[in-house]
Amino acid sequence: MFGATSLVLAVSLSMDSFAAALGRGAVQKRPGLSEALRVGFAFGACQLSMAAIGWAVGSAFAGFVQAVDHWIAFGLLLMIGGSMIRNALAGEKDDEAAATRSGWLALLTVAVATSIDASAVGVGLAMADVNIAVTASLIGVVTFLMGFGGVLLGRAAGPLLGRRAELIGGLGLLAIGTKILVEHTLL
């Protein structure tokens, strides 16, 4: 299962990270290449790690992982997205808001939340004949590129959106969390 199938899997898993990076780039004042690299690295490392962890857990705990992963992702994204919406509606000072959201803890929380689905995919990969090192690395690299590009695209969109960028970013995270929850509970 390498080649086109693995690439499609990697792109699919990275879409949530891309959306979160896009919002992050739009909210921050002039994020530079170092911020784009930081976001890309955090998202890529989390996706790679979660896919490998899911693979390691394997089929022994597949039912448990699949039973709770969507709730964990939903809760984390609800917290971060809700905070962004609250700050946008409260009119918090831009410098203070950016400082709060640009820390490693906030970044890692979003990176983990958008990567939880990769652990479930990793469990499925344990049942397939794949080289997990190659597949997880591809997932990590593609997610890095999507996160990096998302911040830079968000930077361009931020001035056009102004204060609404934070509100849109928060709503986007809530939508991602809801999508994950609905997909796992209804399907």
Side-chain angles (χ1 to χ4, degrees), residues 23-81:
R24 188 174 180 88
V27 168
Q28 292 186 348
K29 283 188 174 183
R30 311 256 334 143
L33 287 178
S34 63
E35 177 65 9
L37 287 169
R38 187 170 82 118
V39 170
F41 175 77
F43 285 171
C46 282
Q47 285 280 12
L48 184 152
S49 299
M50 293 298 257
I53 288 167
W55 178 84
V57 169
S59 61
F61 298 104
F64 175 73
V65 171
Q66 291 174 344
V68 298
D69 66 345
H70 52 284
W71 288 106
I72 294 168
F74 177 73
L76 291 171
L77 292 169
L78 180 69
M79 280 188 337
I80 300 295

Coordinates of all heavy atoms in Angstrom, one line a residue, residues 23-81:
G23 N -6.2 29.1 9.7 CA -6.8 30.0 10.7 C -5.7 30.6 11.6 O -5.8 31.8 11.9
R24 N -4.7 29.9 12.0 CA -3.6 30.4 12.8 C -2.9 31.5 12.1 O -2.5 32.5 12.7 CB -2.7 29.3 13.2 CG -1.7 29.6 14.2 CD -0.9 28.4 14.7 NE 0.1 28.7 15.7 CZ -0.1 28.8 17.0 NH1 -1.3 28.5 17.4 NH2 0.8 29.1 17.8
G25 N -2.6 31.3 10.8 CA -1.9 32.3 10.1 C -2.7 33.6 9.9 O -2.1 34.7 9.9
A26 N -4.0 33.4 9.8 CA -4.9 34.6 9.6 C -5.0 35.4 10.8 O -5.1 36.6 10.8 CB -6.2 34.1 9.1
V27 N -5.0 34.7 12.0 CA -5.2 35.4 13.3 C -3.9 36.2 13.7 O -4.1 37.3 14.2 CB -5.6 34.4 14.3 CG1 -5.6 35.0 15.7 CG2 -7.0 33.9 14.0
Q28 N -2.8 35.7 13.5 CA -1.6 36.3 14.0 C -1.1 37.5 13.2 O -1.3 37.5 12.0 CB -0.4 35.3 14.1 CG -0.7 34.2 15.1 CD 0.5 33.3 15.3 OE1 1.4 33.3 14.5 NE2 0.5 32.5 16.4
K29 N -0.5 38.4 13.8 CA 0.0 39.6 13.1 C 1.3 39.2 12.4 O 2.3 38.8 13.0 CB 0.3 40.7 14.1 CG -0.9 41.5 14.5 CD -0.5 42.7 15.3 CE -1.7 43.5 15.6 NZ -1.3 44.8 16.3
R30 N 1.2 39.2 11.1 CA 2.4 38.9 10.2 C 3.2 37.7 10.7 O 4.4 37.9 11.0 CB 3.3 40.2 10.2 CG 2.5 41.5 9.9 CD 2.6 42.1 8.6 NE 3.9 41.8 7.9 CZ 3.9 41.6 6.6 NH1 2.7 41.6 5.9 NH2 5.0 41.3 5.9
P31 N 2.7 36.5 10.7 CA 3.5 35.4 11.0 C 4.5 35.2 9.9 O 4.2 35.3 8.7 CB 2.5 34.2 11.0 CG 1.4 34.6 10.2 CD 1.3 36.1 10.3
G32 N 5.8 34.9 10.3 CA 6.8 34.8 9.4 C 7.1 33.3 9.0 O 6.4 32.4 9.4
L33 N 8.2 33.1 8.4 CA 8.7 31.7 8.0 C 8.9 30.9 9.2 O 8.6 29.7 9.2 CB 9.9 31.8 7.1 CG 9.7 32.2 5.7 CD1 11.0 32.3 4.9 CD2 8.7 31.4 5.0
S34 N 9.5 31.5 10.3 CA 9.7 30.7 11.5 C 8.5 30.2 12.1 O 8.4 29.0 12.6 CB 10.6 31.5 12.5 OG 9.8 32.6 13.0
E35 N 7.4 31.0 12.1 CA 6.1 30.5 12.6 C 5.5 29.4 11.7 O 5.0 28.4 12.2 CB 5.1 31.7 12.8 CG 3.7 31.3 13.2 CD 3.7 30.7 14.7 OE1 4.7 30.8 15.4 OE2 2.6 30.2 15.0
A36 N 5.6 29.6 10.4 CA 5.1 28.6 9.5 C 5.9 27.3 9.7 O 5.3 26.2 9.7 CB 5.3 29.1 8.1
L37 N 7.2 27.4 9.9 CA 8.0 26.2 10.2 C 7.6 25.5 11.5 O 7.5 24.3 11.6 CB 9.5 26.5 10.2 CG 10.1 26.8 8.8 CD1 11.5 27.4 9.0 CD2 10.2 25.5 8.0
R38 N 7.4 26.3 12.5 CA 7.0 25.8 13.8 C 5.7 25.1 13.8 O 5.5 24.0 14.3 CB 6.9 27.0 14.8 CG 6.7 26.6 16.2 CD 6.9 27.8 17.1 NE 5.7 28.6 17.1 CZ 5.0 28.9 18.2 NH1 5.4 28.4 19.4 NH2 4.0 29.6 18.2
V39 N 4.7 25.7 13.1 CA 3.4 25.1 13.0 C 3.4 23.8 12.1 O 2.9 22.8 12.5 CB 2.4 26.1 12.4 CG1 1.1 25.4 12.0 CG2 2.1 27.2 13.3
G40 N 4.1 23.9 11.0 CA 4.3 22.7 10.1 C 5.0 21.6 10.9 O 4.6 20.4 10.8
F41 N 6.0 21.9 11.6 CA 6.7 20.9 12.4 C 5.8 20.2 13.4 O 5.8 19.0 13.6 CB 8.0 21.4 13.1 CG 8.7 20.4 13.9 CD1 9.5 19.5 13.4 CD2 8.5 20.5 15.3 CE1 10.1 18.5 14.2 CE2 9.1 19.5 16.1 CZ 9.9 18.6 15.6
A42 N 5.1 21.1 14.2 CA 4.2 20.5 15.3 C 3.1 19.7 14.7 O 2.9 18.5 15.2 CB 3.6 21.7 16.0
F43 N 2.5 20.1 13.6 CA 1.4 19.3 13.0 C 2.0 18.0 12.4 O 1.4 17.0 12.5 CB 0.7 20.1 12.0 CG -0.3 21.1 12.5 CD1 -0.9 22.1 11.7 CD2 -0.6 21.2 13.9 CE1 -1.8 23.0 12.2 CE2 -1.4 22.1 14.4 CZ -2.0 23.0 13.6
G44 N 3.1 18.2 11.6 CA 3.7 17.0 11.0 C 4.2 16.0 12.0 O 3.9 14.8 11.8
A45 N 4.8 16.4 13.1 CA 5.3 15.5 14.1 C 4.2 14.8 14.8 O 4.3 13.6 15.1 CB 6.2 16.3 15.1
C46 N 3.1 15.5 15.1 CA 2.0 14.9 15.8 C 1.3 13.9 14.8 O 0.9 12.8 15.3 CB 1.0 16.0 16.2 SG 1.5 16.8 17.7
Q47 N 1.1 14.2 13.6 CA 0.5 13.2 12.6 C 1.3 12.0 12.5 O 0.8 10.9 12.6 CB 0.3 13.9 11.3 CG -0.9 14.8 11.2 CD -2.2 14.2 11.0 OE1 -2.4 13.0 11.2 NE2 -3.2 15.0 10.7
L48 N 2.6 12.2 12.3 CA 3.5 11.0 12.2 C 3.5 10.2 13.5 O 3.3 9.0 13.4 CB 5.0 11.5 12.0 CG 6.1 10.5 11.7 CD1 7.1 11.1 10.9 CD2 6.6 9.9 13.0
S49 N 3.6 10.8 14.6 CA 3.6 10.1 15.9 C 2.3 9.4 16.2 O 2.3 8.2 16.6 CB 3.8 11.1 17.1 OG 5.1 11.7 16.9
M50 N 1.2 10.0 15.9 CA -0.1 9.4 16.2 C -0.4 8.2 15.2 O -0.9 7.2 15.7 CB -1.3 10.4 16.0 CG -1.2 11.5 17.1 SD -1.4 10.8 18.7 CE -3.1 11.3 19.0
A51 N 0.1 8.3 14.0 CA -0.1 7.2 13.1 C 0.8 6.0 13.6 O 0.3 4.9 13.6 CB 0.3 7.6 11.7
A52 N 2.0 6.3 14.0 CA 2.9 5.2 14.5 C 2.3 4.7 15.9 O 2.4 3.4 16.1 CB 4.3 5.8 14.7
I53 N 1.8 5.5 16.7 CA 1.2 5.0 18.0 C 0.0 4.2 17.7 O -0.1 3.1 18.3 CB 0.9 6.2 18.9 CG1 2.1 6.9 19.5 CG2 -0.1 5.8 20.0 CD1 1.9 8.2 20.1
G54 N -0.8 4.6 16.8 CA -2.0 3.8 16.4 C -1.6 2.4 15.9 O -2.2 1.4 16.2
W55 N -0.6 2.4 15.0 CA -0.1 1.2 14.5 C 0.4 0.3 15.6 O 0.1 -0.9 15.6 CB 1.0 1.5 13.4 CG 1.6 0.3 12.9 CD1 1.1 -0.5 11.8 CD2 2.8 -0.4 13.3 NE1 1.9 -1.5 11.5 CE2 2.9 -1.5 12.4 CE3 3.7 -0.2 14.3 CZ2 4.0 -2.4 12.6 CZ3 4.7 -1.0 14.4 CH2 4.9 -2.1 13.6
A56 N 1.2 0.8 16.6 CA 1.7 0.1 17.7 C 0.6 -0.5 18.5 O 0.7 -1.7 19.0 CB 2.7 0.9 18.5
V57 N -0.4 0.2 18.8 CA -1.5 -0.3 19.6 C -2.2 -1.4 18.9 O -2.6 -2.4 19.5 CB -2.5 0.9 19.9 CG1 -3.8 0.4 20.5 CG2 -1.9 1.9 20.8
G58 N -2.3 -1.3 17.5 CA -2.8 -2.3 16.7 C -4.2 -2.8 17.0 O -5.0 -2.1 17.6
S59 N -4.5 -4.0 16.6 CA -5.8 -4.5 16.6 C -6.3 -4.9 18.1 O -7.5 -5.0 18.3 CB -6.0 -5.7 15.7 OG -5.1 -6.7 16.1
A60 N -5.3 -5.0 19.0 CA -5.7 -5.4 20.3 C -6.5 -4.4 21.0 O -7.4 -4.7 21.8 CB -4.4 -5.7 21.2
F61 N -6.3 -3.1 20.7 CA -7.0 -2.1 21.4 C -7.8 -1.2 20.4 O -8.3 -0.1 20.7 CB -6.1 -1.1 22.2 CG -5.4 -1.8 23.3 CD1 -4.0 -2.1 23.1 CD2 -6.0 -2.1 24.4 CE1 -3.4 -2.8 24.2 CE2 -5.4 -2.8 25.5 CZ -4.0 -3.1 25.3
A62 N -8.0 -1.8 19.2 CA -8.7 -1.0 18.1 C -10.1 -0.5 18.6 O -10.5 0.6 18.3 CB -8.9 -1.9 16.9
G63 N -10.9 -1.4 19.2 CA -12.2 -1.0 19.7 C -12.2 0.2 20.7 O -13.0 1.1 20.6
F64 N -11.3 0.1 21.6 CA -11.2 1.2 22.6 C -10.8 2.5 21.9 O -11.4 3.6 22.2 CB -10.2 0.9 23.7 CG -9.9 2.0 24.6 CD1 -10.9 2.3 25.6 CD2 -8.8 2.7 24.6 CE1 -10.7 3.4 26.5 CE2 -8.6 3.8 25.5 CZ -9.5 4.1 26.4
V65 N -9.7 2.5 21.1 CA -9.2 3.7 20.4 C -10.4 4.3 19.6 O -10.6 5.5 19.7 CB -8.0 3.4 19.5 CG1 -7.7 4.6 18.7 CG2 -6.8 3.0 20.4
Q66 N -11.0 3.5 18.8 CA -12.1 4.0 18.0 C -13.3 4.5 18.8 O -14.1 5.3 18.3 CB -12.5 2.9 16.9 CG -11.4 2.7 15.9 CD -11.7 1.6 15.0 OE1 -12.6 0.8 15.2 NE2 -11.0 1.5 13.9
A67 N -13.5 3.9 20.0 CA -14.6 4.3 20.8 C -14.5 5.7 21.4 O -15.5 6.4 21.7 CB -14.8 3.3 21.9
V68 N -13.2 6.2 21.6 CA -13.1 7.5 22.3 C -12.3 8.5 21.5 O -12.3 9.7 21.9 CB -12.4 7.3 23.7 CG1 -13.2 6.4 24.6 CG2 -11.0 6.7 23.5
D69 N -11.6 8.2 20.4 CA -10.8 9.2 19.8 C -11.6 10.4 19.3 O -11.1 11.5 19.4 CB -10.0 8.6 18.6 CG -10.9 8.1 17.5 OD1 -12.1 8.0 17.6 OD2 -10.4 7.8 16.4
H70 N -12.8 10.2 18.8 CA -13.6 11.4 18.3 C -14.0 12.3 19.5 O -14.1 13.5 19.3 CB -14.8 10.9 17.5 CG -15.6 9.8 18.2 ND1 -15.2 8.5 18.4 CD2 -16.8 9.9 18.9 CE1 -16.1 7.9 19.0 NE2 -17.1 8.7 19.4
W71 N -14.3 11.7 20.6 CA -14.6 12.6 21.8 C -13.5 13.4 22.3 O -13.6 14.6 22.6 CB -15.2 11.7 22.9 CG -16.6 11.2 22.6 CD1 -16.9 9.9 22.3 CD2 -17.8 11.9 22.6 NE1 -18.2 9.8 22.0 CE2 -18.8 11.0 22.2 CE3 -18.1 13.3 22.8 CZ2 -20.1 11.4 22.1 CZ3 -19.4 13.6 22.7 CH2 -20.4 12.7 22.3
I72 N -12.3 12.8 22.3 CA -11.1 13.6 22.7 C -10.8 14.7 21.7 O -10.6 15.9 22.1 CB -9.9 12.6 22.8 CG1 -10.1 11.6 23.9 CG2 -8.6 13.4 23.0 CD1 -9.1 10.5 23.9
A73 N -10.8 14.4 20.4 CA -10.6 15.4 19.4 C -11.6 16.6 19.5 O -11.3 17.7 19.5 CB -10.6 14.8 18.0
F74 N -12.9 16.2 19.7 CA -14.0 17.2 19.8 C -13.8 18.1 21.0 O -13.9 19.3 20.9 CB -15.3 16.5 19.8 CG -16.5 17.4 20.0 CD1 -16.9 18.2 18.9 CD2 -17.1 17.5 21.2 CE1 -18.0 19.1 19.1 CE2 -18.2 18.4 21.4 CZ -18.6 19.2 20.3
G75 N -13.5 17.5 22.1 CA -13.3 18.3 23.3 C -12.1 19.3 23.2 O -12.2 20.4 23.6
L76 N -11.0 18.8 22.7 CA -9.8 19.7 22.5 C -10.1 20.8 21.5 O -9.8 22.0 21.8 CB -8.6 18.9 22.0 CG -8.0 17.9 23.1 CD1 -6.9 17.1 22.4 CD2 -7.4 18.7 24.2
L77 N -10.7 20.5 20.4 CA -11.0 21.5 19.4 C -12.1 22.5 19.9 O -12.1 23.7 19.6 CB -11.4 20.9 18.1 CG -10.3 20.2 17.4 CD1 -10.8 19.4 16.2 CD2 -9.2 21.2 16.9
L78 N -13.1 22.0 20.7 CA -14.1 22.8 21.3 C -13.5 23.9 22.3 O -13.8 25.0 22.2 CB -15.1 22.0 22.1 CG -16.3 22.7 22.7 CD1 -17.2 23.3 21.7 CD2 -17.0 21.7 23.6
M79 N -12.5 23.4 23.1 CA -11.8 24.3 24.0 C -11.1 25.4 23.2 O -11.2 26.6 23.6 CB -10.8 23.6 24.9 CG -11.4 22.9 26.0 SD -10.2 22.2 27.2 CE -8.8 22.0 26.3
I80 N -10.2 25.1 22.3 CA -9.4 26.0 21.6 C -10.3 26.9 20.7 O -10.2 28.2 20.7 CB -8.4 25.4 20.7 CG1 -7.4 24.5 21.6 CG2 -7.6 26.4 19.9 CD1 -6.6 25.3 22.5
G81 N -11.2 26.3 19.9 CA -12.1 27.1 19.1 C -13.0 28.0 19.9 O -13.2 29.2 19.5

